[in-house]
Amino acid sequence: MIHYSKNLWNRDLKRFQSGYFKVENQRISEIEFKSPAFGSSTEDWGDLYLAPASIDLHVHARDFEESHKETFETVEAAAKKGGVAAIACLANTRPRRDSVASIQEFIKRTESKKVLFRPFAAVTKDLAGKENTDWQALLKLPIAGLSDDGKPIEDPERMRAVMKVLKGTSKLLSLHEEDLSLSQGSCLHESPAACRWGVVASPPSAEVSMVERDLRLAKELGVSLHFAHMSSREGVQLLNAARKKGIKFSAELTPHHALLTVDEVLKMKVDQLSQFKVCPPVRGLEDQLALRSNFLDGTLDCFATDHAPHSLFDKELPIEGALHGFSSLEWHWTLANELRLQAGVDWSVLIRATAERPAELLGLSNRLGSLAKGKDASFIVFDPLEEVLLVPGASKNHNGPWAGRRCRGKLVATWLGGERVYEARS
Amino acid sequence: MEAKLKGPSPGLSLGLTSVTDLSLDQVFELFENAQRELAPISSNNPTSKPVLGALCFFENSSRTKISFERAGRDLGLEWIDFQPERSSLQKGESWRESLQLLKIYGAQFLVTRHAETGFADWARTWTKLPVFNAGDGAHEHPTQALGDAFTLWKRAPQDKFQIAFFGDVARSRVARSSSQLFQKLGHRVQVVNDGTLSTKNFAEAFQVELVDRSQLKKIDVVYALRTQIERGSRSSLGPLRFSDLGESTLVMHAGPVIEGEDLEFSLCDFSVPRLLVHEQVKSCLDVRRAILHRFLLDTQGSRA
């Protein structure tokens, strides 16, 4: 089968061009930036855009004992709707992914899915920060890497130890940077807007101090780190300075930190606040602008949702008792495109952050991340300017601020391995 | 007394969770009524049972709870005294479930106090009952604010006062509710600058001015706040001192006063007229009675 469009992503020239690719055995067997010989098996997408499907490095897939929040089936449906071909899933499931057996169970449950699932294994047992998991054994499994995400690795000695073990491997160490002594019990970013509601607030320093420590350790040991969900101006400034000094790392920008600010809570009613509770919190305008500019220059090189579905029972509560997190995977691509338009992001930067770079980091570049001969025919079809209403449906829960908003960028279809797995209703 | 329901306002038939829910007309009507002797409201049906409210205090309270209880009894209400510390909450029952059970037992409205912002609004959502907010975390305490404003209104109904809050405003629900209501009534509200970011954030959030402690001598009313030990606060200002005040400065405090910590000991003789602490207690009782009276009138139709 041949897919043709006037706007096919050319990764070499870094622009959209008229072209086609041919799919054989789920892979791209030929790609040319010219008109094909049209035949009965040509899908002519006309003016619609074709780009590589995304890879999301930050997904809380739940399932197991939290299948009331999300199941592997619903999270896969959300990925397809979001234009996502592969998801890296964090270890804070219940029970935790903190042993070889628990990772094998995860792999067995997800390996036949069309969307690729890559689990993170926990750094410490039960993510409790006390006892290390069996790192050596876990690193022999096909995992994305190690992470206690949801919680920081507080003990610097443990951090050094895990860095040493990871050195020389291609696995990620994904870090949730938060000094809990500064943020315990916090609900919102420390700001006048948070003060309006009288809730405990988290200062940027909670993130900054941990980023600073870990950059120092990484430099000492010569290892590469992955900074999850960066939220603060000062935190990202540290990363920027480190990059200029040649320290290697990767880092995520989430749609909520990139598109929202804490001032939104000023327009809310008190019982809407819990839907805005996320960790790290959505911060102020100056933080948002710094995150955006560091996304433009590649300091934040991965776009990741931090998809964190929760049930109504976890969210329909006063903000202080509600759990942190937003459901967002099913709008992955639309939110990325909205960021592109709002922040003036080049297509090449966006596609690098949604597809190429995360594919490299997961060791999937031979299959995903770009449209080229020999790679999976996994791509998205979209109209980059059409306004859409964000209507939840794929995920099991739609906690968070996105449902009901309008964004630009209609994902028309998602194809994975040459097969159409999602099509928007027209 | 007749119900004077105007327009689409629900009156107090849903209870009261925030001072922002009140119109100026409603506030002044409550003040007028708080000055009167309010008699129990007789139903048209002599066999009907008294209205049953539930006092749900998940945080410690003495005066607010006693005051609501007394105000209700004056109007012929009956109360369920729900005591969380002795309830099935200790066995792991959720708040939601506990409150829903009170409805099954016949509670027709709730008075709630809880350590979390928005609890009263959620209690209303969970139970579909009218809810009066007797304090939700550091967020709001609307009946206290009405009592405070009534205290000043009784002294001089036409006067606009210059009022400065003194203490840890950021952790104070009294400061949040009272500052908003004072502003709505045209008073000039200020906050004493203690040099912290949280006080600066408070001033910005509620658009009130920061003043230095040295300026208090020129201010009409200093509102000293309780040191919120249970919320981890200790004001960096120390206690309000006699030497901070001008000759005619009035002092307010919502109580309970931590003597020597909130106010220096020489300001703790509350028989002195310029210390309004006891007057506030009386005002809060009168205002709560007026609120419950208004509530009963506003809901009478639906209870017939």
Side-chain angles (χ1 to χ4, degrees):
Chain A
M1 187 168 190
I2 287 172
H3 292 273
Y4 166 76
S5 160
K6 288 182 186 148
N7 294 300
L8 173 64
W9 180 246
N10 184 330
R11 66 164 184 170
D12 298 321
L13 298 182
K14 299 194 190 304
R15 59 188 173 93
F16 286 96
Q17 267 187 307
S18 177
Y20 73 92
F21 58 86
K22 196 170 173 183
V23 180
E24 281 174 306
N25 297 324
Q26 303 172 27
R27 286 166 195 264
I28 295 172
S29 60
E30 186 183 329
I31 181 163
E32 295 286 350
F33 290 91
K34 61 184 185 189
S35 291
F38 281 90
S40 57
S41 65
T42 302
E43 180 84 58
D44 182 357
W45 294 102
D47 292 327
L48 290 171
Y49 286 58
L50 266 60
S54 298
I55 289 134
D56 195 324
L57 291 179
H58 205 129
V59 172
H60 295 273
R62 313 291 187 211
D63 205 291
F64 302 105
E65 287 171 18
E66 290 180 317
S67 54
H68 61 294
K69 297 190 179 191
E70 191 84 292
T71 65
F72 291 139
E73 287 65 43
T74 54
V75 82
E76 185 187 30
K80 290 171 177 174
K81 186 179 167 191
V84 177
I87 54 177
C89 303
L90 280 307
N92 66 342
T93 56
R94 287 185 190 276
R96 313 302 195 183
R97 299 303 107 186
D98 59 2
S99 65
V100 169
S102 67
I103 291 291
Q104 283 168 337
E105 184 189 15
F106 182 102
I107 292 169
K108 198 171 158 206
R109 291 273 318 277
T110 55
E111 64 190 352
S112 64
K113 303 233 170 272
K114 200 79 192 166
V115 171
L116 268 171
F117 285 62
R118 281 286 181 277
F120 276 99
V123 175
T124 63
K125 291 214 169 128
D126 200 30
L127 282 77
K130 298 217 164 69
E131 195 185 339
N132 296 338
T133 55
D134 188 347
W135 299 335
Q136 299 285 5
L138 289 165
L139 287 170
K140 290 185 187 125
L141 302 172
I143 57 172
L146 298 175
S147 180
D148 268 1
D149 179 72
K151 292 188 176 164
I153 298 170
E154 292 183 273
D155 177 1
E157 192 137 325
R158 189 189 315 282
M159 181 62 98
R160 272 175 68 94
V162 70
M163 283 181 182
K164 282 180 190 163
V165 169
L166 277 160
K167 188 171 182 178
T169 74
S170 58
K171 306 295 186 191
L172 296 172
L173 180 56
S174 180
L175 300 174
H176 172 117
E177 299 293 41
E178 180 183 12
D179 183 340
L180 293 173
S181 62
L182 289 167
S183 65
Q184 199 67 260
S186 65
C187 301
L188 296 170
H189 166 61
E190 185 170 66
S191 57
C195 197
R196 163 74 185 80
W197 296 107
V199 296
V200 177
S202 167
S205 49
E207 178 173 271
V208 175
S209 59
M210 291 292 271
V211 170
E212 193 162 34
R213 179 197 76 176
D214 291 338
L215 282 171
R216 222 171 273 257
L217 293 175
K219 190 181 166 200
E220 272 173 25
L221 298 176
V223 295
S224 178
L225 301 175
H226 181 76
F227 294 93
H229 50 50
M230 290 299 296
S231 70
S232 69
R233 179 174 62 102
E234 285 171 85
V236 84
Q237 282 171 346
L238 284 174
L239 291 186
N240 194 306
R243 185 174 61 87
K244 285 173 182 156
K245 282 186 209 151
I247 299 173
K248 297 270 184 281
F249 61 86
S250 49
E252 297 168 1
L253 178 62
T254 74
H256 44 279
H257 293 114
L259 291 168
L260 307 174
T261 69
V262 67
D263 289 340
E264 298 227 355
V265 303
L266 292 173
K267 293 178 283 178
M268 291 184 187
K269 293 197 161 88
V270 70
D271 57 2
Q272 296 172 312
L273 293 176
S274 51
Q275 296 294 351
F276 206 74
K277 183 174 177 180
V278 68
C279 182
V282 169
R283 299 193 187 274
L285 183 61
E286 61 174 22
D287 299 289
Q288 185 199 68
L289 294 176
L291 292 169
R292 287 179 175 189
S293 69
N294 279 280
F295 187 68
L296 294 176
D297 75 7
T299 303
L300 301 177
D301 53 357
C302 299
F303 181 84
T305 55
D306 194 2
H307 174 67
H310 286 299
S311 69
L312 293 181
F313 273 93
D314 303 314
K315 278 292 197 183
E316 297 207 331
L317 291 170
I319 180 170
E320 284 147 301
L323 296 182
H324 294 95
F326 299 159
S327 175
S328 48
L329 182 60
E330 65 192 89
W331 301 301
H332 175 109
W333 189 83
T334 296
L335 294 170
N337 185 65
E338 179 64 29
L339 171 62
R340 179 185 69 84
L341 291 166
Q342 282 193 28
V345 181
D346 282 348
W347 279 116
S348 62
V349 171
L350 192 77
I351 290 170
R352 174 120 187 101
T354 54
E356 285 171 21
R357 182 65 174 144
E360 285 168 20
L361 292 168
L362 288 183
L364 293 170
S365 293
N366 58 333
R367 294 179 55 188
L368 297 172
S370 57
L371 299 177
K373 191 175 171 183
K375 310 237 171 165
D376 287 7
S378 295
F379 60 97
I380 52 177
V381 182
F382 60 91
D383 176 333
L385 293 176
E386 186 177 334
E387 192 177 86
V388 290
L389 179 66
L390 303 185
V391 181
S395 263
K396 203 157 186 175
N397 283 288
H398 50 90
N399 50 292
W402 298 120
R405 286 182 194 246
R406 293 193 166 274
C407 282
R408 290 162 291 176
K410 181 176 182 172
L411 189 69
V412 174
T414 303
W415 289 63
L416 299 181
E419 185 187 322
R420 186 171 58 205
V421 296
Y422 170 77
E423 186 175 23
R425 277 168 289 179
S426 49
Chain B
M1 190 158 309
E2 286 174 15
K4 289 186 286 181
L5 266 183
K6 287 183 212 158
S9 160
L12 292 178
S13 60
L14 299 176
L16 178 66
T17 58
S18 166
V19 289
T20 58
D21 294 342
L22 291 165
S23 69
L24 271 181
D25 284 352
Q26 282 177 304
V27 173
F28 288 125
E29 192 201 286
L30 288 171
F31 289 173
E32 296 283 354
N33 284 337
Q35 284 191 307
R36 295 188 188 139
E37 292 266 323
L38 296 172
I41 294 173
S42 54
S43 165
N44 297 330
N45 178 358
T47 63
S48 70
K49 292 180 189 163
V51 172
L52 184 62
L55 296 163
C56 313
F57 281 66
F58 294 82
E59 254 192 343
N60 294 337
S61 162
S62 48
R63 59 196 71 210
T64 304
K65 188 173 168 186
I66 292 169
S67 165
F68 263 109
E69 196 170 0
R70 171 67 208 278
R73 289 198 204 285
D74 288 348
L75 298 172
L77 286 168
E78 284 193 6
W79 294 108
I80 296 173
D81 183 5
F82 175 66
Q83 295 182 315
E85 70 277 11
R86 295 187 196 160
S87 77
S88 291
L89 283 167
Q90 302 303 322
K91 303 175 194 164
E93 186 175 86
S94 73
W95 306 318
R96 181 183 350 220
E97 177 67 4
S98 297
L99 297 183
Q100 282 166 349
L101 290 180
L102 292 173
K103 186 177 183 183
I104 296 172
Y105 289 130
Q108 290 160 284
F109 72 96
L110 309 176
V111 178
T112 63
R113 167 168 293 187
H114 194 277
E116 294 185 353
T117 287
F119 187 83
D121 292 81
W122 280 108
R124 184 152 67 192
T125 303
W126 295 331
T127 62
K128 312 246 182 326
L129 287 175
V131 175
F132 292 91
N133 182 4
D136 58 334
H139 176 224
E140 281 242 28
H141 195 355
T143 60
Q144 177 70 45
L146 284 161
D148 293 341
F150 179 53
T151 304
L152 296 178
W153 183 82
K154 276 190 295 183
R155 294 184 78 86
Q158 304 301 326
D159 281 9
K160 304 299 175 207
F161 292 89
Q162 189 175 350
I163 305 161
F165 284 90
F166 179 93
D168 188 358
V169 284
R171 288 191 178 83
S172 170
R173 57 185 167 225
V174 170
R176 275 188 185 75
S177 282
S178 295
S179 66
Q180 290 184 85
L181 187 61
F182 287 153
Q183 284 182 305
K184 189 173 211 153
L185 293 167
H187 301 308
R188 181 171 167 200
V189 176
Q190 295 167 319
V191 168
V192 177
N193 191 356
D194 63 0
T196 63
L197 176 62
S198 54
T199 295
K200 191 169 154 278
N201 282 341
F202 182 96
E204 194 175 329
F206 294 98
Q207 298 183 315
V208 297
E209 299 162 68
L210 285 171
V211 286
D212 281 338
R213 182 176 196 154
S214 60
Q215 302 297 304
L216 289 181
K217 285 190 166 54
K218 298 183 217 154
I219 281 169
D220 304 323
V221 182
V222 178
Y223 198 127
L225 298 167
R226 184 168 65 82
T227 308
Q228 304 275 322
I229 295 163
E230 74 276 25
R231 291 183 233 288
S233 134
R234 222 158 256 280
S235 172
S236 56
L237 294 168
L240 182 67
R241 297 186 187 283
F242 190 78
S243 58
D244 289 322
L245 307 173
E247 271 176 35
S248 57
T249 309
L250 302 170
V251 175
M252 297 180 85
H253 190 297
V257 175
I258 306 176
E259 297 182 6
E261 187 95 32
D262 305 344
L263 303 174
E264 74 171 350
F265 289 104
S266 63
L267 285 172
C268 290
D269 174 4
F270 301 133
S271 62
V272 174
R274 61 191 269 192
L275 303 182
L276 304 182
V277 179
H278 286 177
E279 188 52 42
Q280 286 172 267
V281 173
K282 173 75 169 62
S283 294
C284 283
L285 173 63
D286 291 341
V287 155
R288 287 179 185 127
R289 192 185 299 110
I291 288 168
L292 292 175
H293 191 265
R294 179 78 257 167
F295 165 68
L296 292 171
L297 289 175
D298 288 347
T299 52
Q300 207 165 35
S302 59
R303 292 185 298 109

